[in-house]
Amino acid sequence: MKHFDVAIIGAGIAGASIASEIGEDRSVLLLEAEDHPGYHSTGRSAAFWTESYGGPLVQPLTSASRSFLENPPPEFSESGFLRPRGAVNISRDDEQHLADQFLSDFAESGLSMDRWSWEQAAALVPNLKPIWTHAIHEPDCRDIDVAALHAAYLRDAKRKNVELICRAPVSEIRKDGGMWELSARNESYRATVLVNAAGAWADGIARMAGVKPVGIQPLIRNMVQIETDPPSSPDMPLVVGLDGSFYFKPEAGGGYWLSPHDEIPAEPGDVAPDELSVAIAIDRFEKVMDVAVRRVTRKWAGLRSFAPDRLPVIGFDAGKDDFFWFAGQGGFGIQTAPAAAKLARSVLLGQMPDASLHMINARLYEASRFAQDR
């Protein structure tokens, strides 16, 4: 039976990034249930990086990740993962309060935000209907190459001798002689510390290990790709409804991809697009853009998982020094991955935080914050 310092369950962006961060300092096992890592959430990401997404308490993790994503160490990647995009957050004539609140929420953040008129927004978003008179421009929004970032983390973990095993759903977790013993794919493994990076399955993994869940809820997000007349402009920004009911951006070839920004509670598992949600997404898009939708070219759905307070869970379970939570990363797990993984490394290994984390309050994300509710 192989013994490891750390066993990580889940090889999506969470598991891959923390494996990369600690692989030089510890012997690491990375277990993935699917044929390929990132199948359920990471591989179905909306692929944008914008500092306001997730709210003001998540923003520091996103901002702290920017430097790494733009200029990663050469041994990690030969090129960066961000490309210019820009974002315009919009609301209707009678919804000025949404724009005011958005600016107020990030007033102390230092983010680049400009209040725009409809005319300014329409110059970047051709065919924007005149009812959308309130706009806030975020020039620093970027596209993010999710597949390349995830692959780079897995590649870096392999370089550091992390052992990745796919098609290995964990069937049993038990304690034996102060060590964790895991059964997966008819094999058994032992580890000193167990890292729960299982995304939507995080609470189930905790129960299997005899640890009380923190309340991680999987939610379905639907995405649609469409062709329109006229087609999209490739330089158009991401467009986000300040009421939280939609977002869309141009797609290569003149299409758009869009989402109704839905969050449908679900059980962990493979999810398919919901036809009603697809119809709602298109209807909301047509209320924003004066274009004709010609056809749906693709539709898909992915899981995102949140803790009850919608903040990530990063740290040891209350009263334990061998069960580490790295979960609840919602829809912002990709854009916060570098900072979140560096924070997890410092807590897990008991080291000083990286200098890039100086603006982050780690206590906000501690797993022990749920102890009194359990």
Side-chain angles (χ1 to χ4, degrees), residues 106-129:
F106 293 97
E108 305 300 322
S109 67
L111 301 191
S112 180
M113 292 184 175
D114 303 299
R115 188 188 285 270
W116 275 8
S117 65
W118 175 84
E119 288 80 7
Q120 288 173 299
L124 280 187
V125 186
N127 307 302
L128 178 67
K129 291 185 176 181

Side-chain angles (χ1 to χ4, degrees), residues 7-11 29-34 168-175 180-184 193-218 267-268 305 317 320 322-328 374:
I8 303 170
I9 299 177
L29 171 68
L30 183 57
L31 291 173
E32 169 57 45
E34 303 296 343
V170 176
S171 57
E172 186 178 4
I173 304 173
R174 55 193 173 274
K175 265 306 202 42
W180 292 106
E181 189 170 310
L182 295 80
S183 297
V193 175
L194 182 61
V195 175
N196 184 0
W201 286 262
D203 270 5
I205 291 297
R207 292 188 188 95
M208 197 181 296
V211 174
K212 290 184 179 179
V214 299
I216 301 292
Q217 173 62 60
E267 293 298 317
S305 50
D317 194 73
K320 295 180 175 62
D322 61 357
F323 188 93
F324 192 90
W325 290 87
F326 195 45
R374 296 153 67 200

Side-chain angles (χ1 to χ4, degrees), residues 64-276:
S65 297
R66 180 174 182 172
S67 177
F68 182 96
L69 292 171
E70 288 185 328
N71 298 291
E75 67 272 15
F76 185 85
S77 175
E78 295 179 353
S79 59
F81 304 97
L82 301 181
R83 297 183 302 276
R85 171 60 60 190
V88 176
N89 305 273
I90 59 175
S91 62
R92 299 180 182 88
D93 288 338
D94 58 348
E95 295 177 327
Q96 179 178 332
H97 64 287
L98 295 179
D100 293 341
Q101 185 62 56
F102 187 77
L103 287 173
S104 176
D105 286 345
F106 293 97
E108 305 300 322
S109 67
L111 301 191
S112 180
M113 292 184 175
D114 303 299
R115 188 188 285 270
W116 275 8
S117 65
W118 175 84
E119 288 80 7
Q120 288 173 299
L124 280 187
V125 186
N127 307 302
L128 178 67
K129 291 185 176 181
I131 192 174
W132 300 91
T133 55
H134 303 288
I136 297 170
H137 180 230
E138 289 186 80
D140 291 338
C141 175
R142 299 287 190 264
D143 288 341
I144 183 168
D145 191 333
V146 176
L149 178 63
H150 188 217
Y153 270 124
L154 290 171
R155 186 170 58 249
D156 193 60
K158 182 178 181 180
R159 181 176 66 86
K160 296 171 180 175
N161 297 313
V162 172
E163 185 168 338
L164 168 64
I165 303 176
C166 293
R167 296 181 294 280
V170 176
S171 57
E172 186 178 4
I173 304 173
R174 55 193 173 274
K175 265 306 202 42
D176 180 31
M179 303 287 291
W180 292 106
E181 189 170 310
L182 295 80
S183 297
R185 204 173 69 174
N186 300 317
E187 298 287 345
S188 293
Y189 309 92
R190 290 171 66 84
T192 305
V193 175
L194 182 61
V195 175
N196 184 0
W201 286 262
D203 270 5
I205 291 297
R207 292 188 188 95
M208 197 181 296
V211 174
K212 290 184 179 179
V214 299
I216 301 292
Q217 173 62 60
L219 302 168
I220 298 173
R221 170 64 48 88
N222 284 276
M223 303 294 299
V224 190
Q225 191 170 314
I226 58 173
E227 286 183 0
T228 63
D229 184 19
S232 67
S233 165
D235 297 326
M236 201 184 88
L238 170 73
V239 179
V240 183
L242 283 166
D243 64 354
S245 68
F246 64 85
Y247 55 79
F248 59 86
K249 76 171 187 176
E251 179 65 20
Y256 292 88
W257 64 245
L258 48 139
S259 172
H261 208 183
D262 51 347
E263 293 182 346
I264 303 171
E267 293 298 317
D270 197 12
V271 293
D274 173 70
E275 293 300 329
L276 177 58

